[in-house]
mmCIF file of all heavy atoms in Angstrom:
data_model
loop_
_atom_site.group_PDB
_atom_site.id
_atom_site.type_symbol
_atom_site.label_atom_id
_atom_site.label_comp_id
_atom_site.label_asym_id
_atom_site.label_seq_id
_atom_site.Cartn_x
_atom_site.Cartn_y
_atom_site.Cartn_z
ATOM 1 N N THR T 1 128.470 -60.470 22.097
ATOM 2 C CA THR T 1 127.220 -59.894 22.593
ATOM 3 C C THR T 1 127.452 -59.081 23.857
ATOM 4 O O THR T 1 126.835 -58.029 24.054
ATOM 5 C CB THR T 1 126.183 -60.999 22.850
ATOM 6 O OG1 THR T 1 125.949 -61.716 21.634
ATOM 7 C CG2 THR T 1 124.862 -60.417 23.331
ATOM 8 N N THR T 2 128.337 -59.562 24.723
ATOM 9 C CA THR T 2 128.553 -58.902 26.014
ATOM 10 C C THR T 2 129.759 -57.971 26.036
ATOM 11 O O THR T 2 129.840 -57.094 26.895
ATOM 12 C CB THR T 2 128.760 -59.951 27.115
ATOM 13 O OG1 THR T 2 129.955 -60.715 26.822
ATOM 14 C CG2 THR T 2 127.563 -60.897 27.213
ATOM 15 N N ASN T 3 130.713 -58.210 25.109
ATOM 16 C CA ASN T 3 132.010 -57.527 25.143
ATOM 17 C C ASN T 3 132.759 -57.827 26.435
ATOM 18 O O ASN T 3 133.537 -57.011 26.928
ATOM 19 C CB ASN T 3 131.876 -56.010 24.950
ATOM 20 C CG ASN T 3 133.204 -55.363 24.565
ATOM 21 O OD1 ASN T 3 134.056 -55.990 23.944
ATOM 22 N ND2 ASN T 3 133.400 -54.111 24.957
ATOM 23 N N LEU T 4 132.517 -59.003 27.002
ATOM 24 C CA LEU T 4 133.203 -59.451 28.214
ATOM 25 C C LEU T 4 134.142 -60.602 27.878
ATOM 26 O O LEU T 4 133.913 -61.354 26.936
ATOM 27 C CB LEU T 4 132.185 -59.914 29.260
ATOM 28 C CG LEU T 4 131.180 -58.866 29.743
ATOM 29 C CD1 LEU T 4 130.164 -59.506 30.688
ATOM 30 C CD2 LEU T 4 131.891 -57.696 30.423
ATOM 31 N N SER T 5 135.181 -60.736 28.684
ATOM 32 C CA SER T 5 136.172 -61.781 28.480
ATOM 33 C C SER T 5 135.708 -63.109 29.069
ATOM 34 O O SER T 5 134.963 -63.141 30.063
ATOM 35 C CB SER T 5 137.496 -61.363 29.124
ATOM 36 O OG SER T 5 138.438 -62.406 29.061
ATOM 37 N N ILE T 6 136.144 -64.196 28.477
ATOM 38 C CA ILE T 6 135.947 -65.531 29.052
ATOM 39 C C ILE T 6 137.078 -65.844 30.038
ATOM 40 O O ILE T 6 136.856 -66.447 31.081
ATOM 41 C CB ILE T 6 135.915 -66.606 27.945
ATOM 42 C CG1 ILE T 6 134.780 -66.333 26.930
ATOM 43 C CG2 ILE T 6 135.771 -68.002 28.544
ATOM 44 C CD1 ILE T 6 133.395 -66.472 27.471
ATOM 45 N N ALA T 7 138.273 -65.434 29.701
ATOM 46 C CA ALA T 7 139.454 -65.720 30.524
ATOM 47 C C ALA T 7 139.258 -65.193 31.944
ATOM 48 O O ALA T 7 138.787 -64.078 32.155
ATOM 49 C CB ALA T 7 140.700 -65.084 29.900
ATOM 50 N N GLY T 8 139.617 -66.036 32.907
ATOM 51 C CA GLY T 8 139.567 -65.638 34.307
ATOM 52 C C GLY T 8 138.217 -65.809 34.957
ATOM 53 O O GLY T 8 138.096 -65.655 36.178
ATOM 54 N N LYS T 9 137.198 -66.146 34.184
ATOM 55 C CA LYS T 9 135.861 -66.296 34.746
ATOM 56 C C LYS T 9 135.582 -67.760 35.093
ATOM 57 O O LYS T 9 136.214 -68.677 34.553
ATOM 58 C CB LYS T 9 134.809 -65.779 33.770
ATOM 59 C CG LYS T 9 134.811 -64.255 33.648
ATOM 60 C CD LYS T 9 133.617 -63.783 32.851
ATOM 61 C CE LYS T 9 133.480 -62.266 32.940
ATOM 62 N NZ LYS T 9 134.683 -61.554 32.518
ATOM 63 N N THR T 10 134.615 -67.943 35.969
ATOM 64 C CA THR T 10 134.104 -69.288 36.223
ATOM 65 C C THR T 10 132.918 -69.525 35.305
ATOM 66 O O THR T 10 131.910 -68.819 35.375
ATOM 67 C CB THR T 10 133.676 -69.457 37.684
ATOM 68 O OG1 THR T 10 134.825 -69.298 38.530
ATOM 69 C CG2 THR T 10 133.078 -70.840 37.919
ATOM 70 N N VAL T 11 133.063 -70.494 34.408
ATOM 71 C CA VAL T 11 132.028 -70.818 33.431
ATOM 72 C C VAL T 11 131.357 -72.117 33.854
ATOM 73 O O VAL T 11 132.033 -73.149 34.016
ATOM 74 C CB VAL T 11 132.631 -70.958 32.013
ATOM 75 C CG1 VAL T 11 131.553 -71.389 31.021
ATOM 76 C CG2 VAL T 11 133.272 -69.647 31.575
ATOM 77 N N VAL T 12 130.067 -72.076 34.045
ATOM 78 C CA VAL T 12 129.294 -73.258 34.426
ATOM 79 C C VAL T 12 128.591 -73.791 33.181
ATOM 80 O O VAL T 12 127.811 -73.070 32.546
ATOM 81 C CB VAL T 12 128.257 -72.919 35.515
ATOM 82 C CG1 VAL T 12 127.426 -74.164 35.860
ATOM 83 C CG2 VAL T 12 128.954 -72.376 36.755
ATOM 84 N N VAL T 13 128.881 -75.041 32.835
ATOM 85 C CA VAL T 13 128.308 -75.665 31.644
ATOM 86 C C VAL T 13 127.270 -76.687 32.090
ATOM 87 O O VAL T 13 127.604 -77.657 32.782
ATOM 88 C CB VAL T 13 129.388 -76.343 30.784
ATOM 89 C CG1 VAL T 13 128.767 -76.973 29.548
ATOM 90 C CG2 VAL T 13 130.462 -75.335 30.390
ATOM 91 N N GLY T 14 126.030 -76.472 31.707
ATOM 92 C CA GLY T 14 124.957 -77.395 32.049
ATOM 93 C C GLY T 14 124.884 -78.520 31.041
ATOM 94 O O GLY T 14 124.429 -78.310 29.907
ATOM 95 N N GLY T 15 125.356 -79.697 31.426
ATOM 96 C CA GLY T 15 125.330 -80.860 30.539
ATOM 97 C C GLY T 15 126.680 -81.132 29.918
ATOM 98 O O GLY T 15 127.382 -80.212 29.495
ATOM 99 N N PHE T 16 127.060 -82.409 29.851
ATOM 100 C CA PHE T 16 128.348 -82.802 29.272
ATOM 101 C C PHE T 16 128.147 -83.827 28.167
ATOM 102 O O PHE T 16 128.844 -84.818 28.062
ATOM 103 C CB PHE T 16 129.284 -83.353 30.365
ATOM 104 C CG PHE T 16 130.746 -83.300 30.000
ATOM 105 C CD1 PHE T 16 131.406 -82.092 29.902
ATOM 106 C CD2 PHE T 16 131.455 -84.474 29.760
ATOM 107 C CE1 PHE T 16 132.761 -82.041 29.578
ATOM 108 C CE2 PHE T 16 132.808 -84.432 29.427
ATOM 109 C CZ PHE T 16 133.456 -83.215 29.344
ATOM 110 N N GLY T 17 127.125 -83.572 27.329
ATOM 111 C CA GLY T 17 127.027 -84.312 26.076
ATOM 112 C C GLY T 17 128.040 -83.743 25.102
ATOM 113 O O GLY T 17 128.967 -83.024 25.478
ATOM 114 N N GLN T 18 127.853 -84.029 23.820
ATOM 115 C CA GLN T 18 128.823 -83.550 22.835
ATOM 116 C C GLN T 18 128.886 -82.020 22.804
ATOM 117 O O GLN T 18 129.964 -81.431 22.715
ATOM 118 C CB GLN T 18 128.479 -84.095 21.447
ATOM 119 C CG GLN T 18 128.589 -85.602 21.322
ATOM 120 C CD GLN T 18 130.019 -86.110 21.460
ATOM 121 O OE1 GLN T 18 130.958 -85.425 21.103
ATOM 122 N NE2 GLN T 18 130.166 -87.308 21.992
ATOM 123 N N CYS T 19 127.732 -81.368 22.888
ATOM 124 C CA CYS T 19 127.726 -79.902 22.865
ATOM 125 C C CYS T 19 128.354 -79.339 24.144
ATOM 126 O O CYS T 19 129.176 -78.416 24.094
ATOM 127 C CB CYS T 19 126.305 -79.386 22.701
ATOM 128 S SG CYS T 19 125.562 -79.767 21.090
ATOM 129 N N GLY T 20 127.958 -79.870 25.286
ATOM 130 C CA GLY T 20 128.523 -79.394 26.545
ATOM 131 C C GLY T 20 130.019 -79.635 26.631
ATOM 132 O O GLY T 20 130.773 -78.795 27.143
ATOM 133 N N LYS T 21 130.443 -80.781 26.120
ATOM 134 C CA LYS T 21 131.883 -81.074 26.095
ATOM 135 C C LYS T 21 132.624 -80.028 25.271
ATOM 136 O O LYS T 21 133.704 -79.560 25.653
ATOM 137 C CB LYS T 21 132.102 -82.473 25.509
ATOM 138 C CG LYS T 21 133.557 -82.940 25.532
ATOM 139 C CD LYS T 21 133.685 -84.320 24.880
ATOM 140 C CE LYS T 21 132.894 -85.355 25.629
ATOM 141 N NZ LYS T 21 133.113 -86.720 25.060
ATOM 142 N N GLY T 22 132.048 -79.667 24.134
ATOM 143 C CA GLY T 22 132.688 -78.663 23.291
ATOM 144 C C GLY T 22 132.796 -77.325 23.984
ATOM 145 O O GLY T 22 133.860 -76.671 23.956
ATOM 146 N N VAL T 23 131.706 -76.868 24.617
ATOM 147 C CA VAL T 23 131.732 -75.587 25.325
ATOM 148 C C VAL T 23 132.754 -75.635 26.458
ATOM 149 O O VAL T 23 133.545 -74.700 26.640
ATOM 150 C CB VAL T 23 130.331 -75.233 25.865
ATOM 151 C CG1 VAL T 23 130.399 -74.001 26.767
ATOM 152 C CG2 VAL T 23 129.361 -74.990 24.717
ATOM 153 N N ALA T 24 132.757 -76.732 27.220
ATOM 154 C CA ALA T 24 133.681 -76.844 28.351
ATOM 155 C C ALA T 24 135.133 -76.840 27.887
ATOM 156 O O ALA T 24 135.992 -76.147 28.463
ATOM 157 C CB ALA T 24 133.368 -78.117 29.146
ATOM 158 N N MET T 25 135.435 -77.612 26.852
ATOM 159 C CA MET T 25 136.809 -77.680 26.345
ATOM 160 C C MET T 25 137.280 -76.335 25.806
ATOM 161 O O MET T 25 138.403 -75.891 26.085
ATOM 162 C CB MET T 25 136.894 -78.737 25.235
ATOM 163 C CG MET T 25 136.773 -80.169 25.714
ATOM 164 S SD MET T 25 136.556 -81.330 24.326
ATOM 165 C CE MET T 25 137.956 -80.917 23.293
ATOM 166 N N LYS T 26 136.420 -75.667 25.037
ATOM 167 C CA LYS T 26 136.815 -74.383 24.445
ATOM 168 C C LYS T 26 136.956 -73.314 25.526
ATOM 169 O O LYS T 26 137.858 -72.466 25.459
ATOM 170 C CB LYS T 26 135.790 -73.936 23.398
ATOM 171 C CG LYS T 26 135.565 -74.930 22.270
ATOM 172 C CD LYS T 26 136.795 -75.146 21.406
ATOM 173 C CE LYS T 26 136.487 -76.114 20.274
ATOM 174 N NZ LYS T 26 137.642 -76.357 19.396
ATOM 175 N N ALA T 27 136.068 -73.330 26.539
ATOM 176 C CA ALA T 27 136.168 -72.351 27.621
ATOM 177 C C ALA T 27 137.454 -72.557 28.410
ATOM 178 O O ALA T 27 138.123 -71.586 28.795
ATOM 179 C CB ALA T 27 134.948 -72.462 28.539
ATOM 180 N N ARG T 28 137.807 -73.821 28.661
ATOM 181 C CA ARG T 28 139.080 -74.075 29.350
ATOM 182 C C ARG T 28 140.250 -73.591 28.502
ATOM 183 O O ARG T 28 141.217 -73.029 29.028
ATOM 184 C CB ARG T 28 139.230 -75.572 29.649
ATOM 185 C CG ARG T 28 140.542 -75.910 30.344
ATOM 186 C CD ARG T 28 140.509 -77.286 30.980
ATOM 187 N NE ARG T 28 140.329 -78.353 30.014
ATOM 188 C CZ ARG T 28 140.164 -79.634 30.339
ATOM 189 N NH1 ARG T 28 140.134 -79.988 31.619
ATOM 190 N NH2 ARG T 28 140.008 -80.551 29.403
ATOM 191 N N GLY T 29 140.157 -73.786 27.193
ATOM 192 C CA GLY T 29 141.212 -73.299 26.313
ATOM 193 C C GLY T 29 141.314 -71.789 26.283
ATOM 194 O O GLY T 29 142.353 -71.235 25.903
ATOM 195 N N MET T 30 140.252 -71.098 26.699
ATOM 196 C CA MET T 30 140.258 -69.634 26.779
ATOM 197 C C MET T 30 140.575 -69.160 28.197
ATOM 198 O O MET T 30 140.332 -68.015 28.557
ATOM 199 C CB MET T 30 138.905 -69.091 26.315
ATOM 200 C CG MET T 30 138.600 -69.426 24.862
ATOM 201 S SD MET T 30 136.896 -69.050 24.372
ATOM 202 C CE MET T 30 136.970 -67.263 24.234
ATOM 203 N N ASN T 31 141.112 -70.101 29.015
ATOM 204 C CA ASN T 31 141.610 -69.799 30.374
ATOM 205 C C ASN T 31 140.503 -69.480 31.366
ATOM 206 O O ASN T 31 140.676 -68.660 32.278
ATOM 207 C CB ASN T 31 142.638 -68.667 30.332
ATOM 208 C CG ASN T 31 143.860 -69.027 29.518
ATOM 209 O OD1 ASN T 31 144.346 -70.156 29.579
ATOM 210 N ND2 ASN T 31 144.343 -68.086 28.724
ATOM 211 N N ALA T 32 139.371 -70.155 31.213
ATOM 212 C CA ALA T 32 138.307 -70.062 32.205
ATOM 213 C C ALA T 32 138.438 -71.209 33.201
ATOM 214 O O ALA T 32 139.015 -72.259 32.900
ATOM 215 C CB ALA T 32 136.943 -70.112 31.526
ATOM 216 N N ASP T 33 137.881 -71.005 34.377
ATOM 217 C CA ASP T 33 137.688 -72.076 35.353
ATOM 218 C C ASP T 33 136.332 -72.689 35.046
ATOM 219 O O ASP T 33 135.312 -71.999 35.114
ATOM 220 C CB ASP T 33 137.711 -71.498 36.771
ATOM 221 C CG ASP T 33 137.308 -72.520 37.825
ATOM 222 O OD1 ASP T 33 137.571 -73.722 37.625
ATOM 223 O OD2 ASP T 33 136.710 -72.115 38.853
ATOM 224 N N VAL T 34 136.290 -73.964 34.665
ATOM 225 C CA VAL T 34 135.065 -74.567 34.135
ATOM 226 C C VAL T 34 134.474 -75.556 35.128
ATOM 227 O O VAL T 34 135.161 -76.460 35.621
ATOM 228 C CB VAL T 34 135.329 -75.272 32.790
ATOM 229 C CG1 VAL T 34 134.032 -75.869 32.253
ATOM 230 C CG2 VAL T 34 135.907 -74.283 31.783
ATOM 231 N N VAL T 35 133.184 -75.370 35.407
ATOM 232 C CA VAL T 35 132.403 -76.278 36.236
ATOM 233 C C VAL T 35 131.359 -76.943 35.346
ATOM 234 O O VAL T 35 130.726 -76.273 34.518
ATOM 235 C CB VAL T 35 131.702 -75.525 37.385
ATOM 236 C CG1 VAL T 35 130.797 -76.464 38.175
ATOM 237 C CG2 VAL T 35 132.730 -74.867 38.294
ATOM 238 N N VAL T 36 131.162 -78.235 35.506
ATOM 239 C CA VAL T 36 130.157 -78.982 34.737
ATOM 240 C C VAL T 36 129.076 -79.481 35.683
ATOM 241 O O VAL T 36 129.372 -79.959 36.787
ATOM 242 C CB VAL T 36 130.808 -80.168 34.001
ATOM 243 C CG1 VAL T 36 129.746 -81.093 33.395
ATOM 244 C CG2 VAL T 36 131.757 -79.672 32.914
ATOM 245 N N THR T 37 127.818 -79.374 35.254
ATOM 246 C CA THR T 37 126.715 -79.995 35.982
ATOM 247 C C THR T 37 126.123 -81.089 35.101
ATOM 248 O O THR T 37 126.087 -80.960 33.882
ATOM 249 C CB THR T 37 125.625 -78.973 36.351
ATOM 250 O OG1 THR T 37 124.894 -78.597 35.185
ATOM 251 C CG2 THR T 37 126.240 -77.730 36.991
ATOM 252 N N GLU T 38 125.670 -82.160 35.715
ATOM 253 C CA GLU T 38 125.165 -83.318 34.965
ATOM 254 C C GLU T 38 124.123 -84.073 35.776
ATOM 255 O O GLU T 38 124.070 -83.967 37.002
ATOM 256 C CB GLU T 38 126.302 -84.278 34.601
ATOM 257 C CG GLU T 38 126.676 -84.314 33.124
ATOM 258 C CD GLU T 38 125.548 -84.746 32.195
ATOM 259 O OE1 GLU T 38 124.552 -85.327 32.678
ATOM 260 O OE2 GLU T 38 125.651 -84.502 30.992
ATOM 261 N N VAL T 39 123.292 -84.857 35.082
ATOM 262 C CA VAL T 39 122.351 -85.774 35.717
ATOM 263 C C VAL T 39 122.682 -87.216 35.377
ATOM 264 O O VAL T 39 122.161 -88.138 36.010
ATOM 265 C CB VAL T 39 120.892 -85.470 35.293
ATOM 266 C CG1 VAL T 39 120.476 -84.078 35.742
ATOM 267 C CG2 VAL T 39 120.718 -85.625 33.779
ATOM 268 N N GLU T 40 123.545 -87.413 34.366
ATOM 269 C CA GLU T 40 123.888 -88.767 33.903
ATOM 270 C C GLU T 40 125.230 -89.154 34.523
ATOM 271 O O GLU T 40 126.231 -88.468 34.318
ATOM 272 C CB GLU T 40 123.977 -88.762 32.375
ATOM 273 C CG GLU T 40 123.620 -90.093 31.726
ATOM 274 C CD GLU T 40 124.698 -91.154 31.929
ATOM 275 O OE1 GLU T 40 125.890 -90.790 31.926
ATOM 276 O OE2 GLU T 40 124.350 -92.334 32.085
ATOM 277 N N PRO T 41 125.279 -90.240 35.300
ATOM 278 C CA PRO T 41 126.497 -90.529 36.066
ATOM 279 C C PRO T 41 127.738 -90.762 35.222
ATOM 280 O O PRO T 41 128.843 -90.354 35.601
ATOM 281 C CB PRO T 41 126.123 -91.788 36.873
ATOM 282 C CG PRO T 41 124.920 -92.365 36.193
ATOM 283 C CD PRO T 41 124.202 -91.214 35.592
ATOM 284 N N ARG T 42 127.593 -91.399 34.064
ATOM 285 C CA ARG T 42 128.772 -91.668 33.244
ATOM 286 C C ARG T 42 129.312 -90.394 32.602
ATOM 287 O O ARG T 42 130.529 -90.194 32.511
ATOM 288 C CB ARG T 42 128.436 -92.716 32.184
ATOM 289 C CG ARG T 42 128.162 -94.093 32.782
ATOM 290 C CD ARG T 42 127.397 -94.987 31.852
ATOM 291 N NE ARG T 42 126.059 -94.454 31.580
ATOM 292 C CZ ARG T 42 125.145 -95.093 30.862
ATOM 293 N NH1 ARG T 42 125.427 -96.281 30.346
ATOM 294 N NH2 ARG T 42 123.954 -94.553 30.657
ATOM 295 N N ALA T 43 128.394 -89.521 32.178
ATOM 296 C CA ALA T 43 128.839 -88.238 31.624
ATOM 297 C C ALA T 43 129.510 -87.399 32.696
ATOM 298 O O ALA T 43 130.524 -86.728 32.440
ATOM 299 C CB ALA T 43 127.654 -87.490 31.017
ATOM 300 N N ALA T 44 128.960 -87.437 33.915
ATOM 301 C CA ALA T 44 129.574 -86.695 35.025
ATOM 302 C C ALA T 44 130.967 -87.241 35.330
ATOM 303 O O ALA T 44 131.916 -86.474 35.564
ATOM 304 C CB ALA T 44 128.690 -86.794 36.259
ATOM 305 N N LEU T 45 131.109 -88.562 35.298
ATOM 306 C CA LEU T 45 132.410 -89.165 35.559
ATOM 307 C C LEU T 45 133.395 -88.818 34.452
ATOM 308 O O LEU T 45 134.579 -88.540 34.714
ATOM 309 C CB LEU T 45 132.267 -90.683 35.682
ATOM 310 C CG LEU T 45 133.538 -91.462 36.023
ATOM 311 C CD1 LEU T 45 134.140 -90.986 37.344
ATOM 312 C CD2 LEU T 45 133.246 -92.961 36.079
ATOM 313 N N GLU T 46 132.925 -88.802 33.224
ATOM 314 C CA GLU T 46 133.798 -88.412 32.116
ATOM 315 C C GLU T 46 134.295 -86.985 32.301
ATOM 316 O O GLU T 46 135.489 -86.695 32.119
ATOM 317 C CB GLU T 46 133.046 -88.533 30.785
ATOM 318 C CG GLU T 46 133.907 -88.186 29.581
ATOM 319 C CD GLU T 46 133.153 -88.250 28.264
ATOM 320 O OE1 GLU T 46 131.910 -88.360 28.277
ATOM 321 O OE2 GLU T 46 133.818 -88.172 27.212
ATOM 322 N N ALA T 47 133.385 -86.072 32.679
ATOM 323 C CA ALA T 47 133.789 -84.684 32.918
ATOM 324 C C ALA T 47 134.810 -84.605 34.042
ATOM 325 O O ALA T 47 135.805 -83.861 33.955
ATOM 326 C CB ALA T 47 132.562 -83.843 33.245
#
């Protein structure tokens, strides 16, 4: 949609449930710097 690269960017993922985990893992695999935000303490600790 953007024709922009993921690599080298800081990607902020809101939520670290199963979907957020997938986005975060795939973005890291595409060489992004990944930040996670969470409200659930165990999910935040897992991230």
Side-chain angles (χ1 to χ4, degrees):
T1 301
T2 63
N3 197 29
L4 299 175
S5 174
I6 301 293
K9 288 189 170 56
T10 297
V11 176
V12 178
V13 180
F16 202 69
Q18 295 294 329
C19 293
K21 185 182 298 185
V23 172
M25 289 169 54
K26 303 295 182 180
R28 179 164 63 185
M30 298 170 75
N31 298 320
D33 171 31
V34 181
V35 175
V36 170
T37 73
E38 251 299 343
V39 297
E40 210 287 324
R42 292 160 296 185
L45 183 58
E46 182 182 11

